[in-house]
Amino acid sequence: MSTNWPELISEFKQQSDVIELGGGQKSIDRQHKKNRLTARERIAKILDDGETLLEIGRWAAWEMYSEWGGAISASVICGIGKVSNRSVMIIANDATIKAGAFFPMTCKKVLRAQRIAMQNRLPLLYLVDSAGVFLPLQDEIFPDEDDFGRIFYNNSVISAMGIPQLAAIMGNCVAGGGYLPVLCDKLIMTEGSGLYLAGPALVKSAIGQEVSHEDLGGPEMHASISGTIDFREPDEESAIKRIREQIEFLPENDRHHNFRRDASAEPAKPGNEIVEHIPMDAQQRFDVRDLITFLVDAESFQEYKSEYGQTIVCGYAKIGGYHVGIVANQRTVVQSKKDGMQFGGVIYHDSADKAARFIMDCNQTWTPIIFLQDVMGFMVGRDSEHAGIIRAGAKLVNVISNSRVPKLTVITGGSYGAGNYGMCGKAFNPRMIFAWPNARYAVMGGKQAAKVLLDINIAALKRAGREPDTDELEQLRHSVTEAYETSTDIRYAAARLWVDGIVNPEDTRNLLIQSLEVVTRDADESPFKTGVLQV
């Protein structure tokens, strides 16, 4: 990995540009020869002028499925954008990648997008252009509760929730995938597209019937005979116009009355200077309050219990005018009057207690919570156990789990072990979770983990009757360390959708404002409750 911010950001930018090309220029040219736009071109034309997509899962499937030639971005583009001045979740098959076929991570990515839409009551727009399930991996795509069928289950539940769903078939839509658009409220189809459970070749093979593409499932047939589609469009341009017109009929964006937004103010420090002040190396110490000044509106931060539990900084602030609570790991050594020196990046019993109490208060006042996660874990040892670290940690986990207000998480450094849980990691249902390029995801730090794994490997060799020599030990140490470092790289996490995206540090504030606009659309009106809290 690069050793400084400019190199690291440049490396990630180059790789992100490769992802944006989808299946590559030759595949793009083939799509154009069919008089079809690519998925990204369709999205760009559908979005309002000047609007950009808040993309979810761009790095999905990164360096996965190499034995099948890969599946960049899991062959589907998902994100939130403004269409006719309405925020919409867009899910678009990318036909330049394996004809838009569904890989295991494609299902996971579509399900994640649907979940975000359900949580925030976002209308959904599906741009369908897919050959269906990638058959060599069908056993990993088809049967489980978080596989292909769950997408259709969600379609049905979303419809029952009263959340609008629109679909536009702009290419292939075959086999079980045909249920997705038909489960939507409105269905648009372009000339040259196909919608059927089985294509002409499979129909002939299965029942001996010879039938043309159009007669079996073309737009004219579905418009005039089966009655399945609502709008038949001659080309993509007219389909996009129809999509925008239909979305214009939806209710306008609104912020739920429980959430508050005042006039926005610029931060005290500009975002483009953030990497000049915040170190990339997790071993370097800094005051997380410096980071906060780049993110919040100037002079809006009010720190909560500033002299207690100092390894977590909590406070109220405004970001783009939105009232928020901030929970951030402190990354410098602090001095507790009761317990003495405490290390930054570590959650102690007092900081866990403070954060839990702060999160409860945010729930009382309908204040969305921003978690700035850079955590090594919870403190261990006799003194910490005597102080009740497990009790305090359980309290923190309990209130995060039961929080009714929106939670947003940004991983700005390490995300290790149970610290990931205590700072609202993926398992604790943040509405969205993003990470900086330098972020690391693991159950423990690399050096400690590599030593443990090396000891396990050496013990296994000895049980097999082999005593490794010095060269073999060094080779084993190198391979174990390299494998662990690869699996802790944030790209590995993003490929598996453990984070929704990787963000350039200087874009963090704008990303949070975009996200807050989405997550304050709806509120869980049920009373705030927790489970049993050990005191």
PDB file of all heavy atoms in Angstrom, residues 345-369:
ATOM      1  N   GLY A 345      -7.686   5.471  20.612  1.00  0.00           N
ATOM      2  CA  GLY A 345      -8.132   4.367  19.773  1.00  0.00           C
ATOM      3  C   GLY A 345      -8.632   3.174  20.546  1.00  0.00           C
ATOM      4  O   GLY A 345      -9.053   2.174  19.952  1.00  0.00           O
ATOM      5  N   VAL A 346      -8.605   3.244  21.876  1.00  0.00           N
ATOM      6  CA  VAL A 346      -9.048   2.141  22.733  1.00  0.00           C
ATOM      7  C   VAL A 346     -10.298   2.581  23.499  1.00  0.00           C
ATOM      8  O   VAL A 346     -10.368   3.710  23.979  1.00  0.00           O
ATOM      9  CB  VAL A 346      -7.931   1.718  23.718  1.00  0.00           C
ATOM     10  CG1 VAL A 346      -8.416   0.584  24.618  1.00  0.00           C
ATOM     11  CG2 VAL A 346      -6.680   1.300  22.952  1.00  0.00           C
ATOM     12  N   ILE A 347     -11.274   1.700  23.590  1.00  0.00           N
ATOM     13  CA  ILE A 347     -12.495   2.003  24.350  1.00  0.00           C
ATOM     14  C   ILE A 347     -12.316   1.503  25.775  1.00  0.00           C
ATOM     15  O   ILE A 347     -12.147   0.304  26.016  1.00  0.00           O
ATOM     16  CB  ILE A 347     -13.726   1.342  23.701  1.00  0.00           C
ATOM     17  CG1 ILE A 347     -13.896   1.813  22.253  1.00  0.00           C
ATOM     18  CG2 ILE A 347     -14.984   1.658  24.511  1.00  0.00           C
ATOM     19  CD1 ILE A 347     -15.026   1.115  21.502  1.00  0.00           C
ATOM     20  N   TYR A 348     -12.322   2.414  26.728  1.00  0.00           N
ATOM     21  CA  TYR A 348     -12.242   2.085  28.145  1.00  0.00           C
ATOM     22  C   TYR A 348     -13.650   2.074  28.734  1.00  0.00           C
ATOM     23  O   TYR A 348     -14.616   2.523  28.106  1.00  0.00           O
ATOM     24  CB  TYR A 348     -11.366   3.115  28.878  1.00  0.00           C
ATOM     25  CG  TYR A 348      -9.888   3.014  28.539  1.00  0.00           C
ATOM     26  CD1 TYR A 348      -9.397   3.528  27.346  1.00  0.00           C
ATOM     27  CD2 TYR A 348      -8.996   2.417  29.418  1.00  0.00           C
ATOM     28  CE1 TYR A 348      -8.043   3.468  27.034  1.00  0.00           C
ATOM     29  CE2 TYR A 348      -7.634   2.348  29.119  1.00  0.00           C
ATOM     30  CZ  TYR A 348      -7.171   2.870  27.924  1.00  0.00           C
ATOM     31  OH  TYR A 348      -5.835   2.786  27.621  1.00  0.00           O
ATOM     32  N   HIS A 349     -13.757   1.604  29.978  1.00  0.00           N
ATOM     33  CA  HIS A 349     -15.071   1.478  30.622  1.00  0.00           C
ATOM     34  C   HIS A 349     -15.773   2.832  30.725  1.00  0.00           C
ATOM     35  O   HIS A 349     -16.986   2.940  30.492  1.00  0.00           O
ATOM     36  CB  HIS A 349     -14.928   0.843  32.019  1.00  0.00           C
ATOM     37  CG  HIS A 349     -14.141   1.687  32.983  1.00  0.00           C
ATOM     38  ND1 HIS A 349     -14.740   2.564  33.866  1.00  0.00           N
ATOM     39  CD2 HIS A 349     -12.808   1.797  33.189  1.00  0.00           C
ATOM     40  CE1 HIS A 349     -13.802   3.170  34.579  1.00  0.00           C
ATOM     41  NE2 HIS A 349     -12.620   2.725  34.188  1.00  0.00           N
ATOM     42  N   ASP A 350     -15.020   3.888  31.032  1.00  0.00           N
ATOM     43  CA  ASP A 350     -15.669   5.196  31.194  1.00  0.00           C
ATOM     44  C   ASP A 350     -16.111   5.778  29.852  1.00  0.00           C
ATOM     45  O   ASP A 350     -17.180   6.387  29.745  1.00  0.00           O
ATOM     46  CB  ASP A 350     -14.755   6.171  31.949  1.00  0.00           C
ATOM     47  CG  ASP A 350     -13.365   6.313  31.343  1.00  0.00           C
ATOM     48  OD1 ASP A 350     -13.042   5.571  30.395  1.00  0.00           O
ATOM     49  OD2 ASP A 350     -12.591   7.179  31.823  1.00  0.00           O
ATOM     50  N   SER A 351     -15.314   5.570  28.792  1.00  0.00           N
ATOM     51  CA  SER A 351     -15.705   6.086  27.476  1.00  0.00           C
ATOM     52  C   SER A 351     -16.894   5.308  26.919  1.00  0.00           C
ATOM     53  O   SER A 351     -17.771   5.894  26.259  1.00  0.00           O
ATOM     54  CB  SER A 351     -14.531   6.046  26.508  1.00  0.00           C
ATOM     55  OG  SER A 351     -13.924   4.782  26.455  1.00  0.00           O
ATOM     56  N   ALA A 352     -16.971   4.006  27.202  1.00  0.00           N
ATOM     57  CA  ALA A 352     -18.130   3.218  26.767  1.00  0.00           C
ATOM     58  C   ALA A 352     -19.391   3.686  27.476  1.00  0.00           C
ATOM     59  O   ALA A 352     -20.462   3.828  26.863  1.00  0.00           O
ATOM     60  CB  ALA A 352     -17.886   1.736  27.027  1.00  0.00           C
ATOM     61  N   ASP A 353     -19.283   3.941  28.788  1.00  0.00           N
ATOM     62  CA  ASP A 353     -20.426   4.450  29.556  1.00  0.00           C
ATOM     63  C   ASP A 353     -20.897   5.793  29.002  1.00  0.00           C
ATOM     64  O   ASP A 353     -22.093   6.032  28.820  1.00  0.00           O
ATOM     65  CB  ASP A 353     -20.046   4.617  31.031  1.00  0.00           C
ATOM     66  CG  ASP A 353     -20.236   3.342  31.833  1.00  0.00           C
ATOM     67  OD1 ASP A 353     -21.056   2.493  31.412  1.00  0.00           O
ATOM     68  OD2 ASP A 353     -19.569   3.186  32.860  1.00  0.00           O
ATOM     69  N   LYS A 354     -19.940   6.685  28.737  1.00  0.00           N
ATOM     70  CA  LYS A 354     -20.287   8.011  28.226  1.00  0.00           C
ATOM     71  C   LYS A 354     -20.975   7.913  26.872  1.00  0.00           C
ATOM     72  O   LYS A 354     -22.008   8.558  26.632  1.00  0.00           O
ATOM     73  CB  LYS A 354     -19.034   8.883  28.119  1.00  0.00           C
ATOM     74  CG  LYS A 354     -19.315  10.269  27.548  1.00  0.00           C
ATOM     75  CD  LYS A 354     -18.082  11.156  27.515  1.00  0.00           C
ATOM     76  CE  LYS A 354     -17.203  10.904  26.325  1.00  0.00           C
ATOM     77  NZ  LYS A 354     -16.107  11.905  26.200  1.00  0.00           N
ATOM     78  N   ALA A 355     -20.394   7.136  25.970  1.00  0.00           N
ATOM     79  CA  ALA A 355     -20.963   7.024  24.626  1.00  0.00           C
ATOM     80  C   ALA A 355     -22.372   6.435  24.666  1.00  0.00           C
ATOM     81  O   ALA A 355     -23.269   6.892  23.945  1.00  0.00           O
ATOM     82  CB  ALA A 355     -20.058   6.167  23.743  1.00  0.00           C
ATOM     83  N   ALA A 356     -22.573   5.445  25.532  1.00  0.00           N
ATOM     84  CA  ALA A 356     -23.909   4.849  25.656  1.00  0.00           C
ATOM     85  C   ALA A 356     -24.920   5.886  26.125  1.00  0.00           C
ATOM     86  O   ALA A 356     -26.034   5.987  25.580  1.00  0.00           O
ATOM     87  CB  ALA A 356     -23.866   3.660  26.619  1.00  0.00           C
ATOM     88  N   ARG A 357     -24.548   6.663  27.113  1.00  0.00           N
ATOM     89  CA  ARG A 357     -25.455   7.692  27.634  1.00  0.00           C
ATOM     90  C   ARG A 357     -25.741   8.756  26.575  1.00  0.00           C
ATOM     91  O   ARG A 357     -26.884   9.224  26.441  1.00  0.00           O
ATOM     92  CB  ARG A 357     -24.819   8.344  28.875  1.00  0.00           C
ATOM     93  CG  ARG A 357     -25.626   9.484  29.470  1.00  0.00           C
ATOM     94  CD  ARG A 357     -26.954   8.997  30.043  1.00  0.00           C
ATOM     95  NE  ARG A 357     -27.753  10.119  30.523  1.00  0.00           N
ATOM     96  CZ  ARG A 357     -28.538  10.878  29.753  1.00  0.00           C
ATOM     97  NH1 ARG A 357     -28.627  10.640  28.450  1.00  0.00           N
ATOM     98  NH2 ARG A 357     -29.239  11.853  30.293  1.00  0.00           N
ATOM     99  N   PHE A 358     -24.728   9.111  25.797  1.00  0.00           N
ATOM    100  CA  PHE A 358     -24.892  10.123  24.753  1.00  0.00           C
ATOM    101  C   PHE A 358     -25.839   9.612  23.660  1.00  0.00           C
ATOM    102  O   PHE A 358     -26.717  10.348  23.185  1.00  0.00           O
ATOM    103  CB  PHE A 358     -23.532  10.476  24.158  1.00  0.00           C
ATOM    104  CG  PHE A 358     -23.594  11.468  23.029  1.00  0.00           C
ATOM    105  CD1 PHE A 358     -23.862  12.800  23.273  1.00  0.00           C
ATOM    106  CD2 PHE A 358     -23.385  11.061  21.717  1.00  0.00           C
ATOM    107  CE1 PHE A 358     -23.918  13.725  22.233  1.00  0.00           C
ATOM    108  CE2 PHE A 358     -23.441  11.962  20.675  1.00  0.00           C
ATOM    109  CZ  PHE A 358     -23.708  13.307  20.925  1.00  0.00           C
ATOM    110  N   ILE A 359     -25.668   8.366  23.255  1.00  0.00           N
ATOM    111  CA  ILE A 359     -26.520   7.782  22.210  1.00  0.00           C
ATOM    112  C   ILE A 359     -27.973   7.729  22.672  1.00  0.00           C
ATOM    113  O   ILE A 359     -28.903   8.001  21.894  1.00  0.00           O
ATOM    114  CB  ILE A 359     -25.997   6.385  21.826  1.00  0.00           C
ATOM    115  CG1 ILE A 359     -24.657   6.523  21.089  1.00  0.00           C
ATOM    116  CG2 ILE A 359     -27.010   5.622  20.968  1.00  0.00           C
ATOM    117  CD1 ILE A 359     -23.885   5.228  20.962  1.00  0.00           C
ATOM    118  N   MET A 360     -28.187   7.427  23.932  1.00  0.00           N
ATOM    119  CA  MET A 360     -29.546   7.423  24.472  1.00  0.00           C
ATOM    120  C   MET A 360     -30.156   8.823  24.389  1.00  0.00           C
ATOM    121  O   MET A 360     -31.328   8.985  24.038  1.00  0.00           O
ATOM    122  CB  MET A 360     -29.530   6.910  25.916  1.00  0.00           C
ATOM    123  CG  MET A 360     -29.153   5.445  26.035  1.00  0.00           C
ATOM    124  SD  MET A 360     -28.881   4.897  27.739  1.00  0.00           S
ATOM    125  CE  MET A 360     -30.560   4.808  28.331  1.00  0.00           C
ATOM    126  N   ASP A 361     -29.352   9.831  24.693  1.00  0.00           N
ATOM    127  CA  ASP A 361     -29.871  11.198  24.625  1.00  0.00           C
ATOM    128  C   ASP A 361     -30.197  11.599  23.191  1.00  0.00           C
ATOM    129  O   ASP A 361     -31.203  12.269  22.944  1.00  0.00           O
ATOM    130  CB  ASP A 361     -28.851  12.177  25.217  1.00  0.00           C
ATOM    131  CG  ASP A 361     -29.422  13.584  25.323  1.00  0.00           C
ATOM    132  OD1 ASP A 361     -30.364  13.779  26.121  1.00  0.00           O
ATOM    133  OD2 ASP A 361     -28.957  14.469  24.587  1.00  0.00           O
ATOM    134  N   CYS A 362     -29.357  11.195  22.237  1.00  0.00           N
ATOM    135  CA  CYS A 362     -29.648  11.484  20.829  1.00  0.00           C
ATOM    136  C   CYS A 362     -30.976  10.864  20.416  1.00  0.00           C
ATOM    137  O   CYS A 362     -31.723  11.445  19.614  1.00  0.00           O
ATOM    138  CB  CYS A 362     -28.515  10.964  19.939  1.00  0.00           C
ATOM    139  SG  CYS A 362     -26.993  11.939  20.036  1.00  0.00           S
ATOM    140  N   ASN A 363     -31.280   9.695  20.952  1.00  0.00           N
ATOM    141  CA  ASN A 363     -32.556   9.055  20.638  1.00  0.00           C
ATOM    142  C   ASN A 363     -33.728   9.810  21.255  1.00  0.00           C
ATOM    143  O   ASN A 363     -34.811   9.859  20.677  1.00  0.00           O
ATOM    144  CB  ASN A 363     -32.543   7.596  21.104  1.00  0.00           C
ATOM    145  CG  ASN A 363     -31.948   6.663  20.077  1.00  0.00           C
ATOM    146  OD1 ASN A 363     -32.631   6.148  19.206  1.00  0.00           O
ATOM    147  ND2 ASN A 363     -30.642   6.447  20.169  1.00  0.00           N
ATOM    148  N   GLN A 364     -33.515  10.393  22.406  1.00  0.00           N
ATOM    149  CA  GLN A 364     -34.569  11.178  23.049  1.00  0.00           C
ATOM    150  C   GLN A 364     -34.894  12.440  22.245  1.00  0.00           C
ATOM    151  O   GLN A 364     -36.046  12.878  22.191  1.00  0.00           O
ATOM    152  CB  GLN A 364     -34.129  11.583  24.457  1.00  0.00           C
ATOM    153  CG  GLN A 364     -34.091  10.456  25.466  1.00  0.00           C
ATOM    154  CD  GLN A 364     -35.478   9.942  25.821  1.00  0.00           C
ATOM    155  OE1 GLN A 364     -35.949   8.948  25.267  1.00  0.00           O
ATOM    156  NE2 GLN A 364     -36.145  10.617  26.724  1.00  0.00           N
ATOM    157  N   THR A 365     -33.874  13.014  21.621  1.00  0.00           N
ATOM    158  CA  THR A 365     -34.043  14.309  20.948  1.00  0.00           C
ATOM    159  C   THR A 365     -34.096  14.182  19.413  1.00  0.00           C
ATOM    160  O   THR A 365     -33.994  15.174  18.708  1.00  0.00           O
ATOM    161  CB  THR A 365     -32.891  15.255  21.332  1.00  0.00           C
ATOM    162  OG1 THR A 365     -31.629  14.641  20.998  1.00  0.00           O
ATOM    163  CG2 THR A 365     -32.905  15.562  22.817  1.00  0.00           C
ATOM    164  N   TRP A 366     -34.236  12.943  18.907  1.00  0.00           N
ATOM    165  CA  TRP A 366     -34.324  12.713  17.466  1.00  0.00           C
ATOM    166  C   TRP A 366     -33.134  13.322  16.723  1.00  0.00           C
ATOM    167  O   TRP A 366     -33.280  14.036  15.737  1.00  0.00           O
ATOM    168  CB  TRP A 366     -35.637  13.252  16.892  1.00  0.00           C
ATOM    169  CG  TRP A 366     -36.825  12.421  17.278  1.00  0.00           C
ATOM    170  CD1 TRP A 366     -37.749  12.702  18.239  1.00  0.00           C
ATOM    171  CD2 TRP A 366     -37.189  11.156  16.724  1.00  0.00           C
ATOM    172  NE1 TRP A 366     -38.681  11.698  18.321  1.00  0.00           N
ATOM    173  CE2 TRP A 366     -38.365  10.728  17.393  1.00  0.00           C
ATOM    174  CE3 TRP A 366     -36.666  10.341  15.727  1.00  0.00           C
ATOM    175  CZ2 TRP A 366     -39.005   9.528  17.103  1.00  0.00           C
ATOM    176  CZ3 TRP A 366     -37.299   9.146  15.441  1.00  0.00           C
ATOM    177  CH2 TRP A 366     -38.457   8.746  16.116  1.00  0.00           C
ATOM    178  N   THR A 367     -31.941  13.003  17.208  1.00  0.00           N
ATOM    179  CA  THR A 367     -30.716  13.514  16.611  1.00  0.00           C
ATOM    180  C   THR A 367     -29.975  12.378  15.914  1.00  0.00           C
ATOM    181  O   THR A 367     -29.511  11.444  16.582  1.00  0.00           O
ATOM    182  CB  THR A 367     -29.809  14.144  17.685  1.00  0.00           C
ATOM    183  OG1 THR A 367     -30.545  15.132  18.418  1.00  0.00           O
ATOM    184  CG2 THR A 367     -28.586  14.788  17.062  1.00  0.00           C
ATOM    185  N   PRO A 368     -29.834  12.405  14.584  1.00  0.00           N
ATOM    186  CA  PRO A 368     -29.048  11.371  13.891  1.00  0.00           C
ATOM    187  C   PRO A 368     -27.618  11.331  14.426  1.00  0.00           C
ATOM    188  O   PRO A 368     -27.073  12.354  14.848  1.00  0.00           O
ATOM    189  CB  PRO A 368     -29.079  11.825  12.429  1.00  0.00           C
ATOM    190  CG  PRO A 368     -30.277  12.716  12.322  1.00  0.00           C
ATOM    191  CD  PRO A 368     -30.402  13.399  13.651  1.00  0.00           C
ATOM    192  N   ILE A 369     -27.016  10.150  14.371  1.00  0.00           N
ATOM    193  CA  ILE A 369     -25.691   9.964  14.978  1.00  0.00           C
ATOM    194  C   ILE A 369     -24.666   9.631  13.897  1.00  0.00           C
ATOM    195  O   ILE A 369     -24.880   8.740  13.072  1.00  0.00           O
ATOM    196  CB  ILE A 369     -25.712   8.841  16.031  1.00  0.00           C
ATOM    197  CG1 ILE A 369     -26.822   9.095  17.062  1.00  0.00           C
ATOM    198  CG2 ILE A 369     -24.363   8.738  16.730  1.00  0.00           C
ATOM    199  CD1 ILE A 369     -27.094   7.908  17.978  1.00  0.00           C
TER     200      ILE A 369
END
